[in-house]
C-alpha cells in the first residue's frame, strides 16, 4: 500500500521516521526523514534525537510538493494506464 499517513505527515511539514521495509523508504528524501529498523527502541530513540538536533535542516513538505501532488499523481496514473493498454 501507499504510505498515506507518512506522506500526510510530511505534507504538514513533519519529518518522519519510517521502517526500512516495504515501500516506505521510497517515499523519503534525505531531508524529509529517517529510515531505520523500528523494531529496535534504541534505533527509534537515536532517530528522534537526530531529528530534534537537526530539525531546521528537514524540509519534508518540499519533497511532497515535488513528488506527491494530486496533479503529479494523476499524471502518473494516466501514464500507467496507457502503458497497460
Amino acid at each position: 500500500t501507499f504510505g498515506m499517513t507518512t506522506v500526510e505527515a510530511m505534507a504538514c511539514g513533519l519529518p518522519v521516521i519510517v521502517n526500512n521495509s516495504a515501500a516506505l523508504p521510497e517515499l523519503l528524501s534525505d531531508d524529509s526523514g529517517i529510515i531505520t529498523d523500528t523494531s529496535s527502541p534504541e534505533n527509534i530513540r537515536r532517530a528522534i534525537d537526530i531529528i530534534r538536533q537537526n530539525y531546521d535542516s528537514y524540509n519534508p513538505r518540499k519533497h511532497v510538493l515535488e513528488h506527491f501532488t494530486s496533479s503529479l499523481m494523476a499524471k502518473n496514473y494516466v501514464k500507467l494506464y496507457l502503458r497497460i493498454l
Side-chain angles (χ1 to χ4, degrees):
T1 63
F2 184 79
M4 186 61 80
T5 54
T6 301
V7 174
E8 286 175 347
M10 293 183 342
C12 291
L14 299 173
V16 295
I17 299 169
V18 300
N19 195 36
N20 191 13
S21 67
L24 291 174
E26 297 172 18
L27 300 177
L28 271 64
S29 63
D30 290 337
D31 66 345
S32 59
I34 295 177
I35 302 164
T36 190
D37 174 7
T38 59
S39 66
S40 163
E42 180 61 27
N43 287 349
I44 296 171
R45 186 194 61 77
R46 191 175 307 120
I48 291 169
D49 287 344
I50 291 168
I51 288 175
R52 285 178 51 209
Q53 293 168 4
N54 303 289
Y55 192 81
D56 291 338
S57 68
Y58 289 96
N59 191 356
R61 183 159 170 72
K62 176 184 174 220
H63 183 69
V64 170
L65 293 175
E66 290 173 351
H67 298 281
F68 302 111
T69 63
S70 58
S71 60
L72 266 173
M73 296 302 289
K75 283 180 187 179
N76 289 335
Y77 280 119
V78 169
K79 284 181 190 177
L80 174 64
Y81 294 147
L82 291 174
R83 193 173 39 189
I84 291 171
L85 290 174

